[in-house]
Amino acid sequence: MIAAREQLKADINQLVVYTSTQAHSSIEKAARVAGIKPENFHLIEVDADYRMCPELLQQQIVRDIQSGLIPFYIAATVGTTSSHAIDPLTEIGAIAQVHNIWLHVDGAMSGTAAICPEYQWIHQGLELADSYCFNPHKWMLTNFDCTCFYVKDRAKLIHALSIMPEFLKNQASTSGKVINKAIYSTQ
Ligand SMILES: Cc1ncc(COP(=O)(O)O)c(C=O)c1O
Protein backbone atom coordinates (compact mmCIF):
# COMPACT_ATOMS: atom_id res chain seq x y z
CA MET A 1 0.00 0.00 0.00
CA ILE A 2 2.89 2.32 0.75
CA ALA A 3 4.43 1.52 -2.65
CA ALA A 4 1.10 2.36 -4.29
CA ARG A 5 0.88 5.57 -2.27
CA GLU A 6 4.43 6.64 -3.11
CA GLN A 7 4.15 6.12 -6.85
CA LEU A 8 1.24 8.58 -6.98
CA LYS A 9 2.79 11.43 -4.99
CA ALA A 10 -0.76 12.71 -4.39
CA ASP A 11 -2.36 14.41 -1.39
CA ILE A 12 -2.66 11.62 1.19
CA ASN A 13 -5.98 13.07 2.42
CA GLN A 14 -7.57 12.27 -0.93
CA LEU A 15 -6.39 8.68 -1.32
CA VAL A 16 -9.05 5.96 -1.13
CA VAL A 17 -8.68 2.23 -0.38
CA TYR A 18 -11.28 -0.38 -1.39
CA THR A 19 -11.83 -3.89 -0.15
CA SER A 20 -14.86 -6.07 0.55
CA THR A 21 -16.87 -6.29 3.75
CA GLN A 22 -15.43 -9.81 4.10
CA ALA A 23 -11.76 -8.83 3.81
CA HIS A 24 -9.28 -9.47 6.61
CA SER A 25 -8.68 -6.74 9.18
CA SER A 26 -5.03 -6.56 8.09
CA ILE A 27 -6.15 -4.50 5.08
CA GLU A 28 -7.66 -1.85 7.34
CA LYS A 29 -4.57 -1.98 9.52
CA ALA A 30 -2.39 -1.41 6.44
CA ALA A 31 -4.50 1.64 5.57
CA ARG A 32 -3.94 3.02 9.06
CA VAL A 33 -0.20 2.42 8.85
CA ALA A 34 -0.10 4.05 5.41
CA GLY A 35 -1.82 7.15 6.81
CA ILE A 36 -5.08 6.82 4.86
CA LYS A 37 -7.97 8.74 6.43
CA PRO A 38 -10.43 6.32 8.11
CA GLU A 39 -13.34 7.75 6.09
CA ASN A 40 -11.41 6.95 2.88
CA PHE A 41 -11.34 3.23 3.67
CA HIS A 42 -14.31 1.94 1.69
CA LEU A 43 -15.87 -1.47 2.20
CA ILE A 44 -17.67 -2.88 -0.84
CA GLU A 45 -20.68 -5.15 -0.37
CA VAL A 46 -20.59 -8.79 -1.41
CA ASP A 47 -22.93 -11.14 -3.31
CA ALA A 48 -24.75 -14.18 -1.91
CA ASP A 49 -21.47 -16.13 -2.07
CA TYR A 50 -19.63 -13.42 -0.09
CA ARG A 51 -17.62 -12.27 -3.15
CA MET A 52 -16.97 -8.58 -3.75
CA CYS A 53 -19.49 -7.10 -6.22
CA PRO A 54 -17.52 -5.49 -9.09
CA GLU A 55 -20.51 -3.33 -10.09
CA LEU A 56 -20.70 -1.81 -6.62
CA LEU A 57 -16.94 -1.29 -6.62
CA GLN A 58 -17.15 0.52 -9.95
CA GLN A 59 -20.02 2.70 -8.74
CA GLN A 60 -18.17 3.66 -5.55
CA ILE A 61 -15.02 4.55 -7.49
CA VAL A 62 -16.97 6.80 -9.86
CA ARG A 63 -18.71 8.50 -6.91
CA ASP A 64 -15.37 9.08 -5.20
CA ILE A 65 -13.75 10.53 -8.32
CA GLN A 66 -16.72 12.89 -8.70
CA SER A 67 -16.16 14.01 -5.08
CA GLY A 68 -12.56 14.89 -5.85
CA LEU A 69 -11.03 11.84 -4.16
CA ILE A 70 -8.29 9.62 -5.66
CA PRO A 71 -8.97 5.86 -5.73
CA PHE A 72 -5.51 4.28 -5.41
CA TYR A 73 -5.68 0.78 -3.91
CA ILE A 74 -8.00 -2.21 -4.18
CA ALA A 75 -7.48 -5.36 -2.10
CA ALA A 76 -9.26 -8.40 -3.51
CA THR A 77 -9.29 -11.65 -1.57
CA VAL A 78 -8.71 -15.21 -2.75
CA GLY A 79 -10.21 -17.08 0.17
CA THR A 80 -11.78 -14.86 2.81
CA THR A 81 -11.17 -15.76 6.43
CA SER A 82 -14.79 -16.52 7.30
CA SER A 83 -15.97 -18.46 4.22
CA HIS A 84 -13.09 -18.84 1.69
CA ALA A 85 -14.99 -16.66 -0.76
CA ILE A 86 -13.01 -15.82 -3.89
CA ASP A 87 -13.43 -12.33 -5.28
CA PRO A 88 -13.82 -12.09 -9.10
CA LEU A 89 -10.27 -11.01 -9.95
CA THR A 90 -10.79 -10.62 -13.69
CA GLU A 91 -13.62 -8.12 -13.29
CA ILE A 92 -11.97 -6.29 -10.39
CA GLY A 93 -8.66 -6.20 -12.27
CA ALA A 94 -10.32 -4.64 -15.31
CA ILE A 95 -11.75 -1.88 -13.12
CA ALA A 96 -8.35 -1.32 -11.50
CA GLN A 97 -6.71 -0.97 -14.92
CA VAL A 98 -9.26 1.51 -16.24
CA HIS A 99 -8.78 3.76 -13.21
CA ASN A 100 -5.04 3.14 -12.74
CA ILE A 101 -5.52 1.69 -9.24
CA TRP A 102 -3.04 -0.67 -7.54
CA LEU A 103 -4.60 -4.14 -7.22
CA HIS A 104 -3.42 -6.31 -4.34
CA VAL A 105 -4.65 -9.89 -4.12
CA ASP A 106 -4.74 -11.34 -0.63
CA GLY A 107 -4.33 -15.10 -0.90
CA ALA A 108 -3.12 -15.41 2.70
CA MET A 109 -5.82 -17.86 3.67
CA SER A 110 -6.43 -20.00 0.58
CA GLY A 111 -3.77 -19.21 -2.03
CA THR A 112 -1.85 -22.34 -1.10
CA ALA A 113 -4.65 -24.44 -2.63
CA ALA A 114 -3.35 -23.49 -6.09
CA ILE A 115 -0.42 -25.84 -5.57
CA CYS A 116 -2.92 -28.51 -6.66
CA PRO A 117 -3.54 -28.25 -10.42
CA GLU A 118 -7.25 -28.79 -9.89
CA TYR A 119 -7.43 -25.63 -7.76
CA GLN A 120 -5.39 -23.29 -9.95
CA TRP A 121 -8.59 -21.70 -11.21
CA ILE A 122 -8.78 -19.75 -7.94
CA HIS A 123 -6.11 -17.42 -9.36
CA GLN A 124 -7.92 -16.63 -12.59
CA GLY A 125 -7.24 -12.95 -13.29
CA LEU A 126 -4.21 -12.77 -11.00
CA GLU A 127 -2.12 -11.52 -13.94
CA LEU A 128 -3.89 -8.16 -13.45
CA ALA A 129 -2.59 -7.78 -9.89
CA ASP A 130 0.23 -5.46 -8.83
CA SER A 131 0.92 -7.50 -5.72
CA TYR A 132 -0.04 -10.84 -4.21
CA CYS A 133 0.58 -12.76 -1.02
CA PHE A 134 -0.10 -16.18 0.42
CA ASN A 135 0.79 -17.68 3.78
CA PRO A 136 2.79 -20.91 3.92
CA HIS A 137 2.43 -20.67 7.71
CA LYS A 138 -1.20 -21.63 7.32
CA TRP A 139 -1.73 -24.76 5.21
CA MET A 140 1.91 -25.55 4.45
CA LEU A 141 2.74 -26.13 8.11
CA THR A 142 5.83 -23.92 8.11
CA ASN A 143 6.81 -21.91 11.17
CA PHE A 144 4.88 -18.75 11.98
CA ASP A 145 5.39 -16.15 10.34
CA CYS A 146 5.99 -17.06 6.72
CA THR A 147 4.25 -14.89 4.15
CA CYS A 148 5.26 -15.01 0.49
CA PHE A 149 4.82 -11.58 -1.07
CA TYR A 150 5.06 -10.96 -4.79
CA VAL A 151 5.12 -7.61 -6.51
CA LYS A 152 4.81 -7.00 -10.24
CA ASP A 153 7.32 -4.15 -10.29
CA ARG A 154 9.78 -4.53 -7.43
CA ALA A 155 11.33 -1.12 -8.21
CA LYS A 156 8.17 0.56 -6.87
CA LEU A 157 8.40 -1.31 -3.57
CA ILE A 158 12.11 -0.74 -3.17
CA HIS A 159 11.83 2.93 -4.12
CA ALA A 160 9.02 3.47 -1.60
CA LEU A 161 11.02 2.09 1.31
CA SER A 162 14.65 2.70 0.44
CA ILE A 163 16.80 4.30 3.09
CA MET A 164 20.52 3.75 2.68
CA PRO A 165 22.51 5.35 5.48
CA GLU A 166 26.30 4.98 5.55
CA PHE A 167 26.21 2.24 8.18
CA LEU A 168 24.16 -0.09 5.94
CA LYS A 169 26.48 0.27 2.96
CA ASN A 170 28.79 -2.62 2.29
CA GLN A 171 30.16 -4.51 -0.66
CA ALA A 172 27.06 -6.64 -0.99
CA SER A 173 24.48 -3.87 -0.52
CA THR A 174 26.11 -1.58 -3.08
CA SER A 175 27.04 -4.27 -5.62
CA GLY A 176 23.68 -4.32 -7.39
CA LYS A 177 23.80 -8.11 -7.24
CA VAL A 178 22.34 -8.67 -3.79
CA ILE A 179 18.77 -7.67 -3.02
CA ASN A 180 18.23 -7.36 0.70
CA LYS A 181 14.55 -6.61 1.18
CA ALA A 182 15.07 -6.57 4.93
CA ILE A 183 16.94 -3.27 4.72
CA TYR A 184 15.33 -2.15 1.46
CA SER A 185 18.60 -1.35 -0.21
CA THR A 186 18.60 0.96 -3.19
CA GLN A 187 19.33 -1.98 -5.47
C1 LIG B 1 -7.63 -13.56 4.15
C2 LIG B 1 -6.55 -13.27 5.16
N1 LIG B 1 -5.70 -12.25 4.92
C3 LIG B 1 -4.72 -11.95 5.78
C4 LIG B 1 -4.54 -12.66 6.95
C5 LIG B 1 -3.44 -12.25 7.86
O1 LIG B 1 -2.55 -13.29 8.00
P1 LIG B 1 -1.24 -13.23 8.89
O2 LIG B 1 -1.38 -12.08 9.82
O3 LIG B 1 -1.19 -14.54 9.56
O4 LIG B 1 -0.12 -13.05 7.90
C6 LIG B 1 -5.39 -13.72 7.25
C7 LIG B 1 -5.25 -14.51 8.49
O5 LIG B 1 -6.06 -15.34 8.81
C8 LIG B 1 -6.43 -14.05 6.32
O6 LIG B 1 -7.29 -15.04 6.55
Side-chain angles (χ1 to χ4, degrees), residues 24 26 77 79 81 106 108-109 135 137-138 144 147:
H24 191 265
S26 54
T77 308
T81 315
D106 176 5
M109 178 59 112
N135 280 3
H137 73 240
K138 293 198 166 73
F144 191 80
T147 294

Side-chain angles (χ1 to χ4, degrees), residues 15-27:
L15 298 179
V16 187
V17 172
Y18 305 84
T19 196
S20 90
T21 56
Q22 299 298 306
H24 191 265
S25 51
S26 54
I27 309 295

Side-chain angles (χ1 to χ4, degrees), residues 171-180 185 187:
Q171 220 177 2
S173 70
T174 57
S175 69
K177 295 182 187 139
V178 178
I179 301 158
N180 186 347
S185 79
Q187 306 306 320

Side-chain angles (χ1 to χ4, degrees), residues 21 25 45 56 74 86 104 113:
T21 56
S25 51
E45 274 305 334
L56 298 180
I74 301 169
I86 295 171
H104 175 67

Side-chain angles (χ1 to χ4, degrees), residues 33-94:
V33 170
I36 306 306
K37 285 168 89 174
E39 60 266 39
N40 289 349
F41 180 76
H42 288 175
L43 292 177
I44 306 299
E45 274 305 334
V46 293
D47 64 18
D49 292 323
Y50 302 105
R51 305 176 312 162
M52 190 197 294
C53 290
E55 307 76 34
L56 298 180
L57 172 67
Q58 165 72 14
Q59 287 166 17
Q60 185 64 52
I61 288 171
V62 170
R63 268 200 300 276
D64 290 341
I65 292 171
Q66 285 167 352
S67 314
L69 297 172
I70 304 172
F72 91 109
Y73 188 96
I74 301 169
T77 308
V78 168
T80 55
T81 315
S82 308
S83 66
H84 291 278
I86 295 171
D87 288 339
L89 300 185
T90 305
E91 288 89 338
I92 294 170

